[in-house]
Amino acid sequence: MLEFFRTLTNNWDIFSRGFFTTLKLFVIGAVGSLTVGTILATMRVSPVPVLRGLGAAYVNIIRNTPLTLVFAFLVFAAPKLGIEIAFEPAAYTALTIYTAAFICETLRSGINTVPVGQGEAARALGMTFGQVLYLIVLPQAFRTVVPPLISMLNAMLKNTTVAAGFSVVEAGAIQAYLSERGENQVYTLFWITFGFLTFVVPLILLQRFLERRWAVVR
Amino acid sequence: MGALAIVMALGACGKKEDPGAAGSAGSTSAAVGTGDKCASSGVKLTPATDVKIEGSKTYDKIKGAGKVVVGVKADQPNLGYKDADGKRCGFDIEIAQLVAARIGIDPSKIEYKEIPSTNRETAIKGGEIDYYVGTYSITDKRKNDVGFAGPYFIAGQDLLVRKDESGIAGKDGLQGKKVCSATGSTPLQRVREQKLTDDGNISEFKTYSECVSQLLDKKVDAVTTDDAILKGYAAQSPSKLKVIGQPFSQEKYGIGVAKDDTAFRNAVNDALEAAAKDGTWKKIYDGTLGLSGSSATQPPVERY
């Protein structure tokens, strides 16, 4: 039992370092992908055909590319094309590029739930496309898709572990460190799981809070 | 114990040998990673006859099955490697074959199992493999779980750099330089603890091949780990890479065997000692890791 706790305390340096990086990846990746995802969703419902096409192309290409490949492209291929990007920014970029495609689609499904009459009414008041979207449609769309949106972020949290393979020491790298230090593998894996749970619980609470607060009455 | 039956054939490197020795064209391509052809040292191993190992569970099992199951690595060029055609080669592989031949098993009867570093103790304890040869450092902590024959090689943490590198002559030359190693590996943790360079200059990937590719792309200045592993990469592209040759740690590579099987451990030790006497070890080394240009001598076996 004592050894079980020592696995954590004796290796606190790597646990704290790993999970702090995971937190950074998660926060920056979430902000980035929500922003890019919203812009993409806007493009996909915009009246301009070129934008719609670009949005659709982005989503369909990225959605069908494994995250590891996005990472590999940024870390191994981009330098050969003359694009130099440090490992950590590469990780933020890869997570954002990848997750944004899914956020876009989630949000677009939310946009589809907003009754057409809402948009028509807004236009009748003389609002521009931008105003209709940002004042009337998107707020309602976001409210509808809270659960899948939180699920997307949850999935992204776990996807951060891919960065361990690309020179970013986050939670996914802890196991390699501890196995090299001769620590018990079962205990190690338990503590990593426990670490992720402490990240996920606040997310679940946030989802419940937002669902209660933002419930759309129809 | 049986007449010395390891017959040597001084075949030229790359000459087709018995199938178990995985001999193939002697062209070590400059490509890093997979896709390159395996080349054996050309040492011919003939299984010993009338081998008797009393009171060894492992040996009884091998004898009964008529084959030996050996744990190895498959991603370390010239050390423990499997090429695109599925052929295995390298120093560790040939040491494994040497042991097999010495205990009376034809090297072609070896069943190889790739066991990652983290699962080695479990595989030996569970009897999944009969012995393990794969850059396995002898440590007191591991001796609680498994037995070690050997050492058959003494490695030390060293640096692999580009051939034209002149700024790095040893570990103290690393300050301000970019260093790469495998995620969480002991060599990497040592670089960090001894502050050999800034944390920001350390990059870590899952495999050493990825580090070597970064080195060739000039994204890092040095790759660090045991010299044996580095020599394997240097032997792969001797015109582009070199090992500094100033090791700053000591790792004794042993052959992992079941903890309580002293009889079997002694038999493996005998095999290594015989290989020292008749020069087989040296020929294996020269034909594999030795291609990197650095020499090595066989360490004395430590019986316990």
Side-chain angles (χ1 to χ4, degrees):
Chain A
M1 199 58 195
L2 205 57
E3 205 209 321
F4 173 66
F5 286 105
R6 279 201 184 129
T7 304
L8 181 67
T9 51
N10 286 351
N11 301 291
W12 184 246
D13 57 331
I14 185 67
F15 272 106
S16 55
R17 186 173 163 210
F19 273 104
F20 179 66
T21 311
T22 297
L23 185 65
K24 268 202 296 187
L25 286 170
F26 174 66
V27 172
I28 296 176
V31 172
S33 53
L34 281 171
T35 313
V36 178
T38 310
I39 295 170
L40 282 171
T42 314
M43 283 167 71
R44 292 207 70 178
V45 297
S46 89
V48 186
V50 179
L51 290 180
R52 279 207 305 273
L54 283 175
Y58 179 98
V59 167
N60 286 316
I61 292 169
I62 300 299
R63 224 168 26 157
N64 293 303
T65 309
L67 176 59
T68 324
L69 222 58
V70 180
F71 264 98
F73 181 82
L74 288 175
V75 174
F76 292 111
K80 294 201 190 336
L81 300 175
I83 307 162
E84 289 290 336
I85 176 164
F87 298 128
E88 222 172 281
Y92 301 141
T93 313
L95 284 169
T96 299
I97 289 176
Y98 182 78
T99 318
F102 294 91
I103 300 262
C104 162
E105 289 304 274
T106 308
L107 204 52
R108 203 163 62 88
S109 74
I111 292 174
N112 289 338
T113 67
V114 180
V116 188
Q118 297 262 342
E120 285 171 346
R123 269 202 298 281
L125 289 174
M127 287 187 176
T128 62
F129 170 76
Q131 284 172 319
V132 175
L133 199 65
Y134 287 101
L135 295 174
I136 310 294
V137 178
L138 274 182
Q140 297 186 66
F142 265 111
R143 288 174 171 210
T144 325
V145 296
V146 167
L149 214 51
I150 299 282
S151 292
M152 280 322 314
L153 294 182
N154 192 334
M156 199 203 73
L157 170 64
K158 286 174 281 183
N159 281 340
T160 57
T161 51
V162 173
F166 299 90
S167 200
V168 178
V169 183
E170 35 70 20
I174 294 176
Q175 199 209 346
Y177 274 79
L178 264 60
S179 110
E180 196 74 9
R181 291 181 188 179
E183 294 288 354
N184 183 311
Q185 294 282 295
V186 179
Y187 298 164
T188 305
L189 289 174
F190 173 85
W191 284 116
I192 297 172
T193 313
F194 182 77
F196 272 106
L197 280 179
T198 58
F199 277 58
V200 171
V201 168
L203 266 183
I204 295 170
L205 293 178
L206 175 73
Q207 177 183 338
R208 285 222 190 111
F209 170 78
L210 290 180
E211 273 187 272
R212 266 205 310 272
R213 179 138 183 194
W214 281 356
V216 181
V217 185
R218 289 218 172 100
Chain B
M1 184 184 140
L4 184 74
I6 298 168
V7 184
M8 309 279 313
L10 301 173
C13 173
K15 194 176 140 194
K16 284 255 180 203
E17 300 296 349
D18 68 81
S24 177
S27 61
T28 30
S29 105
V32 172
T34 52
D36 38 359
K37 289 268 184 199
C38 249
S40 90
S41 68
V43 172
K44 195 175 170 96
L45 302 162
T46 310
T49 46
D50 64 316
V51 179
K52 270 202 194 74
I53 306 173
E54 297 286 346
S56 164
K57 261 195 215 152
T58 313
Y59 182 69
D60 293 345
K61 193 183 134 212
I62 294 170
K63 207 72 200 157
K67 61 166 188 184
V68 56
V69 186
V70 184
V72 291
K73 288 187 175 166
D75 57 350
Q76 295 172 333
N78 294 302
L79 202 51
Y81 197 73
K82 185 178 173 182
D83 72 6
D85 298 336
K87 282 184 183 139
R88 293 182 191 272
C89 60
F91 180 68
D92 279 349
I93 300 290
E94 292 194 35
I95 291 289
Q97 292 168 346
L98 170 97
V99 172
R102 183 70 191 176
I103 60 171
I105 302 291
D106 191 288
S108 64
K109 290 273 164 52
I110 298 179
E111 183 187 327
Y112 296 99
K113 264 197 184 159
E114 287 158 32
I115 309 281
S117 294
T118 45
N119 299 347
R120 291 183 292 206
E121 285 82 19
T122 323
I124 295 171
K125 269 202 259 181
E128 205 183 310
I129 51 175
D130 298 318
Y131 56 91
Y132 187 95
V133 193
T135 63
Y136 200 9
S137 296
I138 303 174
T139 66
D140 289 339
K141 205 165 180 173
R142 285 174 183 160
K143 275 186 184 169
N144 292 330
D145 293 313
V146 298
F148 283 106
Y152 63 91
F153 191 80
I154 294 194
Q157 183 169 354
D158 209 327
L159 304 165
L160 179 75
V161 295
R162 286 180 296 271
K163 192 97 185 183
D164 55 6
E165 178 67 65
S166 54
I168 303 172
K171 66 166 184 165
D172 299 323
L174 285 180
Q175 289 301 339
K177 301 280 187 181
K178 292 203 167 88
V179 185
C180 190
S181 194
T183 308
S185 61
T186 304
L188 183 109
Q189 297 192 38
R190 191 177 286 127
V191 169
R192 201 163 259 143
E193 275 152 26
Q194 298 185 2
K195 302 207 179 311
L196 297 181
T197 188
D198 294 335
D199 260 12
N201 283 335
I202 300 174
S203 36
E204 40 192 294
F205 288 91
K206 282 225 164 68
T207 62
Y208 289 112
S209 325
E210 286 167 300
C211 277
V212 174
S213 127
Q214 296 267 319
L215 180 67
L216 290 168
D217 279 354
K218 303 195 174 170
K219 297 250 302 176
V220 300
D221 305 305
V223 178
T224 185
T225 184
D226 294 355
D227 53 1
I229 298 170
L230 299 178
K231 279 177 190 177
Y233 286 106
Q236 220 176 18
S237 24
S239 60
K240 289 182 190 148
L241 300 171
K242 65 177 179 191
V243 177
I244 297 289
Q246 297 287 328
F248 48 99
S249 75
Q250 205 191 55
E251 308 290 340
K252 291 177 179 172
Y253 288 170
I255 296 174
V257 297
K259 194 189 174 196
D260 297 321
D261 202 335
T262 314
F264 189 70
R265 197 170 73 215
N266 283 334
V268 177
N269 280 331
D270 291 344
L272 292 174
E273 273 171 357
K277 241 181 246 159
D278 64 15
T280 317
W281 186 94
K282 194 172 178 342
K283 292 198 175 80
I284 291 178
Y285 177 84
D286 290 344
T288 52
L289 293 180
L291 298 175
S292 65
S294 32
S295 61
T297 49
Q298 181 176 5
V301 165
E302 291 168 13
R303 289 172 192 264
Y304 66 95

